[in-house]
Amino acid sequence: MSVTVVGSIAFDAVQTPAGSRERMLGGAATHFALAASFFDRVHVVGPVGDDFGDAEMDVLRIRGTNVDDVERVAGGSTFFWSGRYHEDLNTRDTLDTQLNVFESFEPKLSTASLASEVLFLANIQPGLQLKVREQCEAARFVALDSMNLWIDIARAELDEVIARVDCLVLNDEELRQLTGKPNLFSAAHAVLEAGPSIVVAKQGGYGSAMVTRDDFFALPAYPLHEVVDPTGAGDTFAGGFVGFLASRPPSERLSAPVLRNAMAYGTALASFNVEQFGTEGVASVTGEQVRERVRDLDRFARFDPIDAPLAG
Ligand code: AMP
């Protein structure tokens, strides 16, 4: 079995309270693939320019990821994003977005990418996500991420693609923007009415919450003394979440215990992402280190209810 991801493969420039990088490997599909590759074979689909070197391609290939559908566009430049984080790290300003090779990208997936049973439509123009969704007829579980930019400028296409996925992963603020509902729980239920059966709201340093038609589950972010660079944390979370689900039999994927574990693997992997700049953390971590943090999360979030002798 395998997972196909389409989305940005990028060079990022970031400034965080811990330091800065002028040009590092990034992109939503990159961060997703690095995390999901712990669980299954990943096929990455997306264009890069001739500024994308062999060293970057080797990082994408980590843990057996297939890069045959990473298209090198002669004369083009790789997608570029630049951002600056505020002191609290939960807010950031986008300083620059250059779509570059994505402007004329027409996704054409190889037979191997088309055969994946699990598909992740990482954050990119909803029109492109839709084209990929249409091509991937074999996909039985499809998850999607998006962002405020596309809610603002490509709403109709975004609604169309959301109606055709099983799982929506979005920042909580964007979830509220998408639905016009001020509260996370009612916003998630509005999305469930539109088609998906799982909604995951990412809450930055506060963790994440998951809503299905009959369950709710929330986990804090893994507690860390220092966060160096949150860039890609959401995509890394999605890679852990979707990757874990991909590794389970299809009949189990909507069961609460499996979905809760997917949340834990996403959370654990995201914590390694934010400890270092760019892809450095998730590229170097071992499977056992990930499992250890999942076990820690179980300790941190579990409690046994005590019936207090309450008045009244
Ligand atoms: P996250 O921190 O999880 O929101 O993901 C940040 C990653 O998304 C960075 O590595 C960027 O290269 C990429 N990114 C930022 N803006 C966009 C955009 N408009 N479209 C696609 N990818 C983006």
Side-chain angles (χ1 to χ4, degrees), residues 7-12 25-28 31 79-81 85 92 94 97 99 123-125 145 147 149-150 171 202 230-236:
S8 57
I9 302 164
F11 283 120
D12 291 342
L25 174 62
H31 288 291
F79 178 97
F80 177 77
W81 175 80
Y85 288 84
R92 74 178 175 207
T94 289
T97 302
L99 288 177
N123 176 26
I124 199 65
Q125 294 101 306
D145 187 12
M147 70 185 296
L149 174 71
W150 311 121
N171 286 340
K202 298 176 285 180
T231 310
D235 307 304
T236 305

Side-chain angles (χ1 to χ4, degrees), residues 167-237:
C167 173
L168 177 69
V169 184
L170 212 57
N171 286 340
D172 66 347
E173 196 189 322
E174 290 159 354
L175 189 60
R176 285 183 267 120
Q177 183 190 350
L178 180 75
T179 56
K181 306 256 183 204
N183 136 336
L184 184 149
F185 194 58
S186 61
H189 273 276
V191 173
L192 294 176
E193 305 255 305
S197 28
I198 307 162
V199 177
V200 178
K202 298 176 285 180
Q203 299 167 302
Y206 302 108
S208 56
M210 177 184 67
V211 186
T212 63
R213 282 183 193 93
D214 37 39
D215 198 21
F216 174 85
F217 183 63
L219 270 184
Y222 189 91
L224 297 169
H225 283 289
E226 195 192 16
V227 170
V228 170
D229 172 23
T231 310
D235 307 304
T236 305
F237 173 93

Side-chain angles (χ1 to χ4, degrees), residues 112-155:
S113 296
L114 288 174
S116 286
E117 194 237 343
V118 174
L119 171 66
F120 185 62
L121 302 167
N123 176 26
I124 199 65
Q125 294 101 306
L128 286 178
Q129 294 178 317
L130 207 48
K131 281 185 188 163
V132 174
R133 176 67 198 97
E134 275 161 8
Q135 287 179 48
C136 290
E137 287 171 3
R140 292 286 161 268
F141 184 85
V142 185
L144 174 134
D145 187 12
S146 192
M147 70 185 296
N148 51 0
L149 174 71
W150 311 121
I151 301 174
D152 289 337
I153 70 169
R155 183 59 201 254

Side-chain angles (χ1 to χ4, degrees), residues 1-309:
M1 287 213 251
S2 60
V3 179
T4 293
V5 55
V6 59
S8 57
I9 302 164
F11 283 120
D12 291 342
V14 297
Q15 297 166 40
T16 81
S20 63
R21 289 284 190 276
E22 281 188 0
R23 190 177 132 106
M24 63 184 188
L25 174 62
T30 305
H31 288 291
F32 176 91
L34 276 171
S37 61
F38 274 104
F39 305 89
D40 213 337
R41 180 139 167 96
V42 179
H43 297 266
V44 182
V45 181
V48 295
D50 12 70
D51 50 353
F52 200 80
D54 292 341
E56 283 89 23
M57 204 64 102
D58 285 347
V59 177
L60 268 184
R61 280 199 191 95
I62 281 180
R63 293 180 283 268
T65 291
N66 182 296
V67 296
D68 291 351
D69 282 349
V70 175
E71 189 189 329
R72 239 185 244 273
V73 180
S77 299
T78 301
F79 178 97
F80 177 77
W81 175 80
S82 148
R84 181 173 42 218
Y85 288 84
H86 296 203
E87 204 55 43
D88 74 353
L89 292 163
N90 272 321
T91 32
R92 74 178 175 207
D93 302 320
T94 289
L95 304 177
D96 195 6
T97 302
Q98 297 170 20
L99 288 177
N100 296 333
V101 287
F102 264 103
E103 263 173 289
S104 51
F105 177 55
E106 283 293 329
K108 287 176 281 319
L109 280 65
S110 62
T111 316
S113 296
L114 288 174
S116 286
E117 194 237 343
V118 174
L119 171 66
F120 185 62
L121 302 167
N123 176 26
I124 199 65
Q125 294 101 306
L128 286 178
Q129 294 178 317
L130 207 48
K131 281 185 188 163
V132 174
R133 176 67 198 97
E134 275 161 8
Q135 287 179 48
C136 290
E137 287 171 3
R140 292 286 161 268
F141 184 85
V142 185
L144 174 134
D145 187 12
S146 192
M147 70 185 296
N148 51 0
L149 174 71
W150 311 121
I151 301 174
D152 289 337
I153 70 169
R155 183 59 201 254
E157 283 172 317
L158 181 60
D159 284 343
E160 209 179 321
V161 68
I162 287 175
R164 302 190 51 190
V165 303
D166 303 285
C167 173
L168 177 69
V169 184
L170 212 57
N171 286 340
D172 66 347
E173 196 189 322
E174 290 159 354
L175 189 60
R176 285 183 267 120
Q177 183 190 350
L178 180 75
T179 56
K181 306 256 183 204
N183 136 336
L184 184 149
F185 194 58
S186 61
H189 273 276
V191 173
L192 294 176
E193 305 255 305
S197 28
I198 307 162
V199 177
V200 178
K202 298 176 285 180
Q203 299 167 302
Y206 302 108
S208 56
M210 177 184 67
V211 186
T212 63
R213 282 183 193 93
D214 37 39
D215 198 21
F216 174 85
F217 183 63
L219 270 184
Y222 189 91
L224 297 169
H225 283 289
E226 195 192 16
V227 170
V228 170
D229 172 23
T231 310
D235 307 304
T236 305
F237 173 93
F241 183 88
V242 174
F244 179 80
L245 291 182
S247 73
R248 309 303 300 180
S251 59
E252 280 185 14
R253 286 188 196 134
L254 288 181
S255 83
V258 167
L259 285 169
R260 288 172 177 221
N261 269 276
M263 290 279 285
Y265 276 92
T267 302
L269 277 154
S271 71
F272 290 105
N273 171 77
V274 304
E275 281 183 313
Q276 295 186 52
F277 277 100
T279 54
E280 290 164 18
V282 182
S284 57
V285 70
T286 66
E288 182 46 27
Q289 287 174 300
V290 177
R291 280 192 293 265
E292 213 173 291
R293 287 201 175 172
V294 168
R295 290 192 290 265
D296 287 343
L297 282 165
D298 176 43
R299 273 193 303 120
F300 299 153
R302 173 190 293 262
F303 77 105
D304 297 312
I306 294 172
D307 277 335

